[in-house]
Amino acid sequence: MSGTHDGVSRRAFLGGVGATAVAAVTLDLDAAIAASAKAEAEGVLANNFGRIFQLPPFVNASDAVRAGLTEMGKAGGIMDAKDPLHFGPIRLITEPELSPNNVDNPTQTAGTTFLGQFLDHDMTFDETSPLGVPKRPEDSPNTRTPQFDLDTMYGGGPDVSPHLYQTNDRAKFRIESGGQFEDLPRRSNGSAIIPDDRNDENMMISGLHVAFMKFHNRVVDRVRSQNLPNTFGTSRLHVLWHYHWIILHEFLPQIVGQPLIDHIMRNGRQFYRPSTPFIPVEFQIAYRMGHSMIRPSYRANLKGDANSAPFFGFIFDPAGEGQADPVDLRGGIRARRRFIGWQTFFDFGDGEVRRNKRIDTKLSTPLFHLPLMTIPGGDPPISLATRNLLRHVTWSLPSGQRLAQTMGISPVDTSELAAFNIGIERSAPLWYYVLKEAETLAGGQRLAGVGARLIAEVFIGLLQLDSQGFLVNAPNWRPFLPSRTSRDFTMLDLLTYAEVDPASRRQ
């Protein structure tokens, strides 16, 4: 995609699309009801394990297609925001005009990205399917439970996974330190002792994981103070219900918009309608929209670096490879400065919060040079965009345009893809298409069209199909833990209750 939109610079165009303009985007929500009935009658809607839709792939697999997708996702290519990394991590935060192709999102804070990553790791993990080689989704096991049950944290519980819990108190998680503040428990080689290594890919996700563990431990104290039975089980249920509330009432509205959520809750899910929960491959790809939200650099904390100065770093930096205390924000390392000051990532009202990048067809430049330690199996390609595009071939996914047609949604234009000569300009890879929809229809501030519908229906479906969740057992339930607003509960409240907030840390 070029840097202009009908003669207007991309930055100026996106910057001019404010919250009012986004709210004015018309959504034919009721069209989904008619479209789903039509798709079912035509036999293309089927909730088999692994897929929602039975549709032809966006393109037939071939060496030429794989080469074209690799070119499309390469460093310096059409999807690279071309951030000027030579200015360093601090200036790319304090001077956003240096990255005109990578615009901040005024409606989301930087923490939304990593909460989204935490949720992804909680419901899906594919360790076996090859990149760019067609395979049936039904033959690739999901090594996570397709529910929001925090199995990435709880494992099998104290009896099955005792190494995750305190030796003298099996109801509580084992938490270590070694820096200024809490850290995941680690082995001598630095690797984290957690059920899913992905939750130690970067400092933000590992910090969020340990914050949830501290949250659980505080809930255990509360349950004991009230003399409630089954300390661990009761505490876990309280944690899960507050977690589900945050997903439904805080995270999902930021990603898809409240009107779509209200419509689905009122009229039901039109496309994701299984009797038991599963992760559709269409969703697995569309949900990678979060990769577009990642900043090239972050301020990890306000008083972590030398002389209690802020610790800034790129999300990934090749210079950090092999360093005992890397210059970047990769995980897997324990050091004094490697903790997260959450006022950078969530809005505590102190003016310190930073923003996400917009959901659009540009990714931050460091994501085209992933450290091998962040890649399952440790094998290239190291471009995250290339990996996502080749995954479409793995799952033989339909194009974004075909899904739009099937779901009763007007398509967006992707004619810029004609440059790759593999026939995808009118049959775009779903992930790219979802990003283009958000960019075109919602100014990059949230998902729209196919992407919004897929993400919303699967999220709501997983919550509605959870036999332990509050939507099934107590639909009128409201949060009861301490919060800023009565009968509500947000990530600010969770971090505060876990005592990892700025006030608790006094910095």
Side-chain angles (χ1 to χ4, degrees), residues 82 179 264 422 462 475:
K82 301 178 179 63
I264 294 171
I422 52 175
L462 294 180

Side-chain angles (χ1 to χ4, degrees), residues 46-51 137-142 146 277-280:
N47 281 310
N48 298 328
F49 181 78
R51 291 188 191 277
E138 296 84 352
D139 296 334
S140 292
N142 178 9
F278 75 97
I279 301 298

Side-chain angles (χ1 to χ4, degrees), residues 349-410:
D350 54 9
E352 297 292 349
V353 72
R354 295 294 182 264
R355 297 290 166 184
N356 261 346
K357 293 302 181 181
R358 299 201 188 205
I359 305 171
D360 56 24
T361 57
K362 296 291 188 286
L363 272 64
S364 293
T365 296
L367 300 181
F368 294 84
H369 306 277
L370 296 177
L372 290 178
M373 55 83 67
T374 67
I375 299 173
D379 297 321
I382 60 172
S383 163
L384 184 58
T386 295
R387 299 184 68 84
N388 287 346
L389 291 167
L390 290 175
R391 187 66 64 187
H392 291 69
V393 178
T394 302
W395 298 136
S396 301
L397 285 171
S399 70
Q401 284 91 342
R402 186 63 184 270
L403 280 184
Q405 178 187 21
T406 302
M407 298 172 80
I409 298 170
S410 297

